[in-house]
Structure formats: C-alpha cells, structure tokens
Amino acid sequence: MKSWIESANAPECHFPIQNLPYGAFRRADEAVRCGVAIGDQVLDLSVLEATGLIDAGSAPVFAQPTINAFMALGPTAWDSVREQLQSLLSHGGDDRLRGNDALRKRALVPMAEAELMLPIRIGGYTDFYAGKQHAFNVGTMFRGPENALPPNWLHIPIGYNGRASTVVVSGTDIRRPLGQMKAPDAAVPSFGPCKRLDIELEMGAIVGTPNRMGEPVTVAQADDMIFGYVLLNDWSARDIQAWEYVPLGPFQGKVFATSISPWVVTKAALAPFRVATPAREKELLPYLNEGGKPLLYDINLEVLMRPSGAKAATTLARTNYRNMYYSAAQQLAHHAVGGCKMETGDLLGSGTISGADKTGYGSLLEMSWGGKEPITLDSGEKRSFIEDGDTMTLTGWAAGDGYRIGFGECSGTILPSPKEPKW
Amino acid sequence: MKSWIESANAPECHFPIQNLPYGAFRRADEAVRCGVAIGDQVLDLSVLEATGLIDAGSAPVFAQPTINAFMALGPTAWDSVREQLQSLLSHGGDDRLRGNDALRKRALVPMAEAELMLPIRIGGYTDFYAGKQHAFNVGTMFRGPENALPPNWLHIPIGYNGRASTVVVSGTDIRRPLGQMKAPDAAVPSFGPCKRLDIELEMGAIVGTPNRMGEPVTVAQADDMIFGYVLLNDWSARDIQAWEYVPLGPFQGKVFATSISPWVVTKAALAPFRVATPAREKELLPYLNEGGKPLLYDINLEVLMRPSGAKAATTLARTNYRNMYYSAAQQLAHHAVGGCKMETGDLLGSGTISGADKTGYGSLLEMSWGGKEPITLDSGEKRSFIEDGDTMTLTGWAAGDGYRIGFGECSGTILPSPKEPKW
C-alpha cells in the first residue's frame, strides 16, 4: 500500500501509510490536538473529525490535548479509524482529503512546524525488568555471576511502580539530579549532583482500555487492552539508586525523569511483526501462559550519543525488542492479577533491552561495565556515564518488505544540576 | 471556641469548630461536591460559595468532585476560607448562615445522609518507611536483630512509588488479592488467594501546592506545600510481597488497595499539636535538616478489628504519630530533591506507625510476630492475619483542651478473592 503523500513512501521513512501512529501536537499558539504521523507531515485529526472525514463512532475525541479519549473507545473504534485513515491517505482511495486543496492545507502540518507534545495523560507508570541479559549483567556486577539472576526472576515479570508526573516527551531537556549517595569506601553518605547518570533502553506499552478493580485479566485479555507502543528512556542515577534501593526498590534514582517518543505506534501496525517470547527456562504459572500466541515484536532498536558540539551522534548499541523474556501482555496480566485497576493511559516500561553482547547493551552501566571499560565515541571522546550537554537518543523500527514501521526518536539532552538552595 | 452546631461541642467529637476538615460528598443522586465536617453535619461548601457566604478569592472551586482545585489555590486561600468558616460557624460570629433557615437547611447535610467520596484526585501516591520500630521489627523477623535496620535507614527517609489508581475511600470493601507466592520450603512458587493479608497503620500527607520539575525544595518549603493529613491503611499481602520484593521492592503485595479516611485534616487545625521528631541517631545531610522546627504531630492512633458477625470491634493497638523518625515534610523534601515534580493531590504515606511494644504495633505481621503468636479478639476468636469478612478500622485524633481534632475512621471489610478466570 502506498500513499499519495510521497514522503511516506521512502523505504526508510518511519511513518508510511502502514504505520499511522497517534500523537499530540500544536502549531504556534494553537491549542494542542491529536494527530497522526504520515511521512514528513502531521495529519490533524481534529480537523478531519470536525469536517466529518473521520468518525470514531462517538462524541469528538481528537480536539483534545491527549489521545486518551480515543484510546478509551476501545478496539472497534481503533480498527475503524485506522481503516478510514488508510482509505483517505492511500493511492486510489477516498478522494475527499486528497482532492480538497483548502482542507488539505488545514489538515496537513509539516512535522518541522509542529511542536510534538506528550501524547498521553499517564495515570500510572510501571517499570518492569524483563530483559534477561540486562538482569544478568547488572546482577553479575552487583552479586557475581552465580547469584546474578534473583530466584524469582524466571517466575515473575518483576516490576515496580514508577513516577508518572515526570514522564516527558522526547526533546525535553533533562536536569542532572541532585541526590544522596555513598561511595563504597565512604563512612557516611554525601550529597551532590549524580556522577553516574545513565539511560535505559526500553519499550513502553500503553494501556488503552481498563479492567475493573479487584478483577484479574488473562494474558489474552491483557493483550487486547494494549493500544500501542513507544520508545522509553528510563533515565537512571546509578549512584543514587545503588545507595537507596535496598530494601524497597529504586526511587530517587529514577523519579527525576522518564522520556518517551511522541508517536504511539499501534498494535495493528505492529501485527505483521509479532514473534514469540523465547523458550521458557522454567514453566510459568498458568496465569502467565501466553497460550502459544506470539506476543512480542521484532523491533530493531538503537542507542545513540551525541556530545555537546559534536557533528554527529555515535551509535552505541543495536539490539531488538524480541530479546525480552516476558511480553508486555504478560506484564500487564501480572500487574492486574491481584485486582490492581489498570486505566486508559497507563504506561508499562519493558525493562532494559540488552542483546547478547556489548554491541547490544541497553545501558551505559553495562556498556562500560560499571565504569571500568569506558566507551570511545566517534569524536574520540570517552564516556563511562553521561556528561552535561550530551544528547542521548533511542530509535527503533520494525522492518517490513519495502517499508518500516518506525517509532521516530526518543531523545534528551542533559543540563547541569540546579544550584543547591540554602538548606 | 464553640459552635452553634451543638453536636460539634461534645468533648469527644472528632469534628469541632477547631477542626473543619475538607472532603467530598453527595446526597442521593446529587453531584459530588466539597464539604467540611462539623459535628454530625457536613457543610456544603458549594452552596456557601454560590451564595457568596464564602469566597476563596478565585473562580468557584467547591462545586467539584474533589478538593484539588481549592488546594491548588495555596496557603493564603486556605487560611482565608478557614477564617470565614470559623466566623460563620462560631457562637457570636457572622449570623448569615445561622440566621437563615432556608439556607441552613440547604447547606447542612446530616453526615448520616451523606455518601463520603474520595476527597482528592491523587496524581502520585508514594509510600515511605519512616517508623523505626516497624522497620526494626520487620527487619528482625527477616534478617535477625543485628541486621534489622538497613544501613541507609538512618540517612534516608526511604520511600517507593505506590499505585494511585487503587487508593479508595474508607468504607470501600477490599477484595482479597490473588497472587504468586512461594512457601519457604517449597521448590516452586504457587498461585492463589493471599493467605497472609495485613494492614499497615499510616498517616497520609497530602500535597497542596506543586514544585517545578528539576528543582529541589527545602524541608521548610516542603512543609508549606502540605495541605493536610488523613489516616491511611496500606493493605499488604505479606506472602505475595515476601516472594516478589527482592530486588525492586513491593508491587503486587501492595497495589491491590490502599484506603484513606474521607476527611482531610488541615495543617492549620493540627498546628497546636506540632512536636519535634525524635533525637537524630546519626547526623542528617543538610537537605533533610528541619532547622529546629517541630514538623511531626501528636496524634493518637488506634487499630481495631471486627470479625464478621461480632457485636463490637476489638482494639488491637494504640500508638502515636509522634513516634515517626522522619516527618512528612522531610519525606517530601527528599522526594523532590532530585527534581521530581510534586503535584497538587499527591499522597505520601508515612510508613507503618508502631509503638515501642506489642500494644502499639501497626500491623498484624508485628502483632502476631509473623503469625507465630496469634492475637485473641474480645470475641475469643484468634487471628494471625485478616480473614474474609473481617473489618479493619483505623482511627485517630489530636487531644486538645476540651476538644479533639479527629480524623474520623478509615475502615474496610475484606471480601473473598474473585473466582479465577480460565487462564
């Protein structure tokens, strides 16, 4: 399928007509509304809805600052709007947009002129730990290879509650956090700017439809509840995290910021790229059974770093989402099994996605092996962790036959710590 | 100060004119609106606001289903409305409410006819671990008395992100969660209803005004940001929690439900009961310094259990909020120190409040010492943990001279686990 918007047909374009990811944007001083990425354009869904070219089968949902209202309509509406959009945008389809100059000008906004906003209103953000290579790497550094994997790891898609208020959209600058830390050889803790600032390469799954409080869902139902996926960078202050995380888990080491990509790629767009989770090393309890369905996705992922002033970014890692041991549907089923109410707009981080070796590790902690083996960038500079002014970028795409289902980018530049107030 | 609403003047009444806690309520099929508790009545603030008897100095904020809009106005509005209400409700004050029969009938709703709702829209819920006796008790059970307190405990007000979507108001029934657990002597984990269901007696602090992302606040600023306090029951599934919590902290053991009391007691009402935190056992880093200000409160607390069918509840524990090692202001300052954005309506759980001995422990885990020493109820029944049909109630008050600043009750009855779906 090809679009009459030519930029969407380039083989490496992230946003062909097969993709149609949802986001929120504004131009100049206009109100924020919902849009879909197509080639190098943003299609203004509020305009299409107001003029009757698309109909979600409900009261208007797109003249809103997030896609939550649309997601809450559920799978029938998701499928219907996707079909309507593909018809309006494809060669030889519905001509009502293509053939109407004035409307086209109003409805298509060059992406370069659009300010992309956080696409979802996030009720709850939960971060998981489902990458086995990452868990093994980190466990090896902290506890040695014999005790690397916690005893529950092969039985539970381990997760913890994250902080929703500091989830920001790609492009938002990130302040290096201040915090409490303790060097291994120090007698007492100290306070100051984080010295071991890191990323975590993750995918984020977005809950489209809710369950009811007190009622579990099956893995199949959980998969049906998921609307789509984004790239997610779980910024991490390793020195703060190391001192705080026993016994109740990561807190100040993580809550200062989490970045996501602006376009939510739908489950429908990713359907051709479904793959099974790896073979189970221990049998899972029935509530986590996937019933033989492929619930992961074959998504190529990359991590890039560009130091301040450098001409180009250095690619630090290449890996794939299919490396995860648990799927987002399994994580969501586990999340709800005790009756936790999951809501439209909840965000589930996959956990750090690391490949089998150093070329595919999803954090600097792993790439530099705890800072012991600094990485050399293309510019010749060395890095163990992130320095002020560095821009970190995640990107990813599923590779179709002659097209890509792309996620765009998830990037952020590190600003120096704030000045300490007079305590 | 006395009120012309006579029920407010009884010495053991929780809601005298000195208190005036804020909540949300409805009568029959009416819309939810904001109210204040006074004696055995709820004063409908939306009526007073609409008729001009109170003015928060803003667009209307009380004809809304939560008190968030009012809280967001900040301390000047909080003080002003409190003063206006005390004038309208006191003997010898402003006669516009007392002297107007028709208005009084509309504005005063017997509490017995009001359905009390969740008073706040909670953006983020964070739970802390600031009770030293509780941390010592639990640590002793799990690791022995020498290693009871984690090494960071005297330096950090340890906290972790909780789940906001399942915070419910007192009176909401709680379903026993299903979940994954592993008996210490079992080879593999199992699945089923929680067998060690517990409470945690806590106070909840409610953030009234926000900070800015990326900017820390001092302890004094944090105290200014707090609007008020509620009772909080951090329901806990001990068997699920024990198997899951290493390495990333409590998750399914806690996310199924948290209950809070319906009335938010303001910082102003609690001002006469401020007390200092206990002497520091280790010097704190400057960012946690309280500057000699008393930031805890002298609040009597009780835990009660009533089995299904029992005529009366048994009081299981009596303790006091002043036992905490860290104040809510210190917890909030720690929470924001790395730049985490705190928002109007955020809820901070204090951590379990346990007194020095068994008569004052804030969880059944501690009272029954891990189930080894069952408790005998007044009815003769024994309990190690909570059984289906049991009602757990927290209550608390600060004792003034001839009056109480009360929190009412925070209660919940346990329903059996849901039937397992066909996995």
Side-chain angles (χ1 to χ4, degrees):
Chain A
M1 205 190 312
K2 298 279 180 190
S3 174
W4 49 265
I5 296 176
E6 281 305 325
S7 60
N9 300 328
E12 301 203 340
C13 175
H14 275 211
F15 309 120
I17 192 167
Q18 291 85 352
N19 193 349
L20 303 181
Y22 292 85
F25 76 102
R26 68 176 165 199
R27 186 159 51 169
D29 292 332
E30 291 173 353
V32 180
R33 73 278 310 270
C34 301
V36 146
I38 176 77
D40 57 6
Q41 306 287 308
V42 180
L43 181 61
D44 187 332
L45 297 176
S46 73
V47 169
L48 295 193
E49 187 176 47
T51 53
L53 262 66
I54 57 169
D55 179 1
S58 68
V61 288
F62 293 121
Q64 302 199 14
T66 67
I67 64 170
N68 286 51
F70 173 57
M71 294 196 296
L73 296 177
T76 308
W78 307 344
D79 291 348
S80 163
V81 171
R82 177 174 173 81
E83 208 172 288
Q84 294 173 55
L85 288 172
Q86 287 196 327
S87 174
L88 285 169
L89 292 169
S90 62
H91 265 306
D94 182 331
D95 203 43
R96 287 181 297 164
L97 178 60
R98 184 185 191 177
N100 184 333
D101 279 8
L103 181 62
R104 234 177 37 236
K105 271 194 185 143
R106 276 210 298 143
L108 283 169
V109 179
M111 208 175 283
E113 294 172 17
E115 183 185 0
L116 303 181
M117 315 297 286
L118 194 68
I120 44 176
R121 186 180 63 251
I122 300 165
Y125 161 45
T126 305
D127 195 29
F128 286 86
Y129 190 54
K132 193 181 167 206
Q133 187 66 46
H134 169 74
F136 179 80
N137 288 345
V138 173
T140 300
M141 276 182 251
F142 290 163
R143 294 178 294 269
E146 322 71 47
N147 301 308
L149 224 51
N152 52 9
W153 201 93
L154 291 170
H155 300 282
I156 300 179
I158 296 174
Y160 64 101
N161 304 295
R163 178 79 193 176
S165 73
T166 49
V167 178
V168 296
V169 72
S170 172
T172 306
D173 292 337
I174 306 297
R175 277 216 174 273
R176 179 181 299 274
L178 297 167
Q180 184 176 150
M181 55 204 84
K182 186 172 133 353
D185 53 350
V188 291
S190 61
F191 182 84
C194 164
K195 294 184 187 72
R196 292 162 74 93
L197 187 58
D198 200 356
I199 58 145
E200 291 193 343
L201 166 66
E202 303 192 20
M203 297 294 300
I206 292 168
V207 175
T209 55
N211 69 329
R212 283 196 292 188
M213 185 166 169
E215 295 189 7
V217 299
T218 66
V219 174
Q221 287 168 331
D223 192 53
D224 289 344
M225 288 164 66
I226 294 172
F227 176 77
Y229 292 81
V230 291
L231 301 166
L232 186 149
N233 181 352
D234 178 27
W235 301 97
S236 299
R238 300 299 179 194
D239 38 9
I240 296 170
Q241 184 185 351
W243 170 228
E244 76 177 353
Y245 91 103
V246 177
L248 298 184
F251 181 46
Q252 288 300 303
K254 303 273 194 177
V255 298
F256 59 97
T258 304
S259 299
I260 64 170
S261 52
W263 296 109
V264 182
V265 176
T266 63
K267 208 167 45 183
L270 291 168
F273 308 97
R274 281 180 178 266
V275 290
T277 45
R280 302 294 91 178
E281 298 177 35
K282 297 205 174 172
E283 195 183 356
L284 291 177
L285 285 162
Y287 82 98
L288 290 171
N289 262 341
E290 296 173 292
K293 278 182 69 176
L295 296 178
L296 271 184
Y297 298 94
D298 180 354
I299 299 170
N300 301 294
L301 296 167
E302 291 184 357
V303 178
L304 299 98
M305 175 186 261
R306 185 168 60 78
S308 169
K311 281 193 188 127
T314 301
T315 302
L316 298 184
R318 291 188 175 87
T319 182
N320 195 298
Y321 179 53
R322 68 187 302 164
N323 288 322
M324 303 313 276
Y325 192 79
Y326 295 103
S327 63
Q330 285 174 308
Q331 292 171 331
L332 179 52
H334 177 68
H335 204 325
V337 80
C340 184
K341 183 164 63 168
M342 306 305 299
E343 299 180 313
T344 299
D346 284 344
L347 173 66
L348 310 185
S350 60
T352 308
I353 304 167
S354 285
D357 63 40
K358 210 166 177 169
T359 64
Y361 289 168
S363 69
L364 295 172
L365 180 72
E366 294 164 87
M367 294 180 205
S368 73
W369 209 252
K372 289 184 197 144
E373 303 167 18
I375 309 150
T376 304
L377 306 179
D378 294 348
S379 62
E381 292 178 75
K382 287 188 185 294
R383 287 288 186 281
S384 290
F385 292 97
I386 309 173
E387 299 191 3
D388 290 348
D390 289 349
T391 298
M392 301 300 304
T393 299
L394 315 179
T395 186
W397 66 93
D401 186 10
Y403 70 95
R404 285 181 169 184
I405 300 295
F407 286 79
E409 290 188 347
C410 177
S411 72
T413 300
I414 298 300
L415 302 182
S417 287
K419 194 168 163 281
E420 285 187 40
K422 193 168 174 300
W423 307 115
Chain B
M1 206 190 311
K2 298 279 180 189
S3 173
W4 48 263
I5 296 175
E6 281 306 325
S7 61
N9 300 328
E12 299 202 341
C13 175
H14 274 210
F15 308 121
I17 192 167
Q18 291 85 354
N19 193 347
L20 304 180
Y22 291 85
F25 76 103
R26 68 176 166 199
R27 185 160 50 170
D29 293 332
E30 291 172 353
V32 180
R33 74 279 310 271
C34 301
V36 146
I38 176 80
D40 58 6
Q41 307 287 308
V42 180
L43 181 61
D44 187 332
L45 296 177
S46 73
V47 169
L48 295 194
E49 187 177 48
T51 53
L53 262 67
I54 58 169
D55 179 2
S58 69
V61 289
F62 293 121
Q64 303 199 12
T66 67
I67 64 170
N68 286 52
F70 173 58
M71 292 196 296
L73 296 178
T76 307
W78 307 344
D79 290 348
S80 163
V81 172
R82 178 174 171 83
E83 208 171 288
Q84 294 172 55
L85 288 171
Q86 287 195 327
S87 174
L88 285 169
L89 292 168
S90 62
H91 265 307
D94 182 333
D95 203 43
R96 289 179 298 163
L97 178 60
R98 185 186 191 177
N100 184 333
D101 279 7
L103 181 63
R104 234 176 38 235
K105 269 195 186 142
R106 277 209 298 141
L108 284 169
V109 179
M111 209 176 283
E113 294 173 17
E115 183 186 359
L116 303 181
M117 316 296 286
L118 194 67
I120 44 175
R121 187 178 62 250
I122 300 166
Y125 162 45
T126 304
D127 195 29
F128 287 85
Y129 190 54
K132 193 181 166 206
Q133 186 67 45
H134 169 74
F136 179 80
N137 288 345
V138 172
T140 300
M141 275 184 251
F142 290 163
R143 294 179 294 270
E146 322 70 47
N147 302 307
L149 223 52
N152 51 10
W153 201 93
L154 292 170
H155 301 280
I156 300 179
I158 296 174
Y160 64 101
N161 304 295
R163 177 79 192 175
S165 74
T166 49
V167 177
V168 296
V169 72
S170 173
T172 306
D173 291 338
I174 305 297
R175 275 217 174 272
R176 179 180 299 273
L178 297 167
Q180 183 176 150
M181 55 204 85
K182 186 171 135 351
D185 54 350
V188 291
S190 60
F191 182 85
C194 163
K195 293 184 187 73
R196 293 163 72 94
L197 187 58
D198 200 357
I199 57 145
E200 291 193 342
L201 166 65
E202 303 193 19
M203 296 295 299
I206 292 168
V207 175
T209 55
N211 69 329
R212 284 196 292 189
M213 184 166 170
E215 296 189 6
V217 298
T218 65
V219 174
Q221 287 167 332
D223 192 53
D224 289 344
M225 288 164 66
I226 295 171
F227 176 76
Y229 293 82
V230 292
L231 300 166
L232 185 150
N233 181 353
D234 178 27
W235 300 97
S236 299
R238 299 297 179 195
D239 38 9
I240 296 170
Q241 183 185 352
W243 171 228
E244 76 176 353
Y245 91 103
V246 176
L248 298 185
F251 181 47
Q252 289 300 302
K254 302 274 194 176
V255 297
F256 59 98
T258 304
S259 299
I260 64 170
S261 52
W263 296 109
V264 182
V265 176
T266 63
K267 207 168 44 182
L270 290 169
F273 307 98
R274 281 181 178 265
V275 291
T277 46
R280 302 294 91 177
E281 298 176 34
K282 295 204 177 174
E283 195 183 355
L284 291 177
L285 284 161
Y287 82 98
L288 291 170
N289 261 341
E290 296 173 291
K293 278 182 69 177
L295 297 178
L296 272 184
Y297 298 94
D298 180 354
I299 300 170
N300 300 295
L301 297 166
E302 291 184 358
V303 178
L304 299 97
M305 174 185 263
R306 185 168 60 77
S308 169
K311 282 194 187 122
T314 301
T315 302
L316 299 183
R318 290 188 176 86
T319 182
N320 195 298
Y321 180 53
R322 67 186 302 165
N323 288 321
M324 304 312 277
Y325 192 79
Y326 295 103
S327 63
Q330 284 175 308
Q331 292 171 332
L332 179 52
H334 178 68
H335 204 324
V337 81
C340 183
K341 184 164 65 168
M342 306 304 299
E343 300 180 313
T344 299
D346 284 344
L347 173 66
L348 310 185
S350 60
T352 308
I353 305 166
S354 285
D357 63 40
K358 211 166 175 168
T359 64
Y361 289 168
S363 69
L364 294 171
L365 181 71
E366 294 164 87
M367 294 180 206
S368 73
W369 209 252
K372 288 183 198 147
E373 303 167 18
I375 308 149
T376 304
L377 305 180
D378 293 348
S379 62
E381 292 178 75
K382 287 190 186 292
R383 286 289 185 281
S384 289
F385 293 96
I386 309 173
E387 299 191 1
D388 290 347
D390 289 349
T391 299
M392 302 300 305
T393 299
L394 315 180
T395 186
W397 67 92
D401 186 10
Y403 70 95
R404 285 181 170 184
I405 300 294
F407 287 78
E409 288 188 349
C410 177
S411 73
T413 300
I414 298 300
L415 303 181
S417 286
K419 195 170 161 280
E420 285 187 41
K422 193 173 174 300
W423 308 114

